[in-house]
Amino acid sequence: MNSKEKLKLIVNNPILYIETFMRIPNKEGVVVPFKLTPQQKYFLKNMGKYNIVLKSRQIGISSATMAYVLYLTHTQKNCTCLLMAHSKDGVAEIFKKLKAIYDNMYDCVKLQRVTNNRTELSFVNGSQIICCSCGYKDVARGTTLRFAHLSEVALMGDTFEAQL
């Protein structure tokens, strides 16, 4: 298999892409290659159109989701992803995790940012990642979302149900 075929294989497989091109700060703050755990791999391999994940804390599903969102926005043009949490603090944590993974991606694949603020990352290929807390009604209005991650939905309560 030549290098062009290997690259095509990696770009078409989110697990290989994440493990090849992404790095993440570990619990000690040291940046290490992003090696997915068995639970993260299982989640990424078995995702359907809609997924409700009931899990214990700290097994890395949010980190895997942030890496997957970066994979989508880096490998597809004009791809919009939404990250939503129950509170502004929750959004800030998710966005911090997303940016840490993005900032530590290898330069050979990292797309240049067009927008980089507290609620959005957008890239030169037209893709974007929007972050918001539940209750912000017009966040993705009129937008076709490729992927949405809703964190801590149980804590969104009536605000979430009113938006359905």
Side-chain angles (χ1 to χ4, degrees), residues 38-47 51 53 61 64-65:
Q39 295 88 351
Q40 291 168 324
K41 284 182 183 179
Y42 180 86
F43 173 68
L44 292 172
K45 284 180 183 177
N46 294 288
M47 271 194 306
N51 304 277
V53 181
I61 298 301
T65 301

Side-chain angles (χ1 to χ4, degrees), residues 107-164:
D107 290 335
C108 62
V109 294
K110 187 190 304 186
L111 291 177
Q112 182 181 355
R113 294 177 295 211
V114 174
T115 306
N116 177 20
N117 58 43
R118 290 183 294 175
T119 61
E120 182 182 354
L121 273 181
S122 65
F123 305 102
V124 294
N125 69 348
S127 291
Q128 64 180 338
I129 303 166
I130 303 167
C131 293
C132 68
S133 60
C134 186
Y136 186 64
K137 292 184 179 185
D138 294 330
V139 68
R141 191 178 196 115
T143 303
T144 301
L145 296 175
R146 171 69 173 85
F147 185 86
H149 171 72
L150 310 178
S151 181
E152 304 280 0
V153 173
L155 299 176
M156 292 179 186
D158 296 338
T159 306
F160 180 71
E161 290 176 14
Q163 291 183 358
L164 292 178

Side-chain angles (χ1 to χ4, degrees), residues 65-135:
T65 301
M66 299 308 105
Y68 182 69
V69 164
L70 286 166
Y71 162 78
L72 289 175
T73 55
H74 277 65
T75 59
Q76 299 177 17
K77 293 179 181 178
N78 303 310
C79 173
T80 300
C81 296
L82 173 69
L83 306 174
M84 182 183 282
H86 67 290
S87 68
K88 288 183 181 181
D89 290 342
V91 171
E93 271 308 302
I94 288 172
F95 204 49
K96 181 178 163 186
K97 190 176 296 190
L98 173 78
K99 284 179 132 177
I101 298 169
Y102 170 81
D103 289 343
N104 290 296
M105 287 178 72
Y106 289 102
D107 290 335
C108 62
V109 294
K110 187 190 304 186
L111 291 177
Q112 182 181 355
R113 294 177 295 211
V114 174
T115 306
N116 177 20
N117 58 43
R118 290 183 294 175
T119 61
E120 182 182 354
L121 273 181
S122 65
F123 305 102
V124 294
N125 69 348
S127 291
Q128 64 180 338
I129 303 166
I130 303 167
C131 293
C132 68
S133 60
C134 186

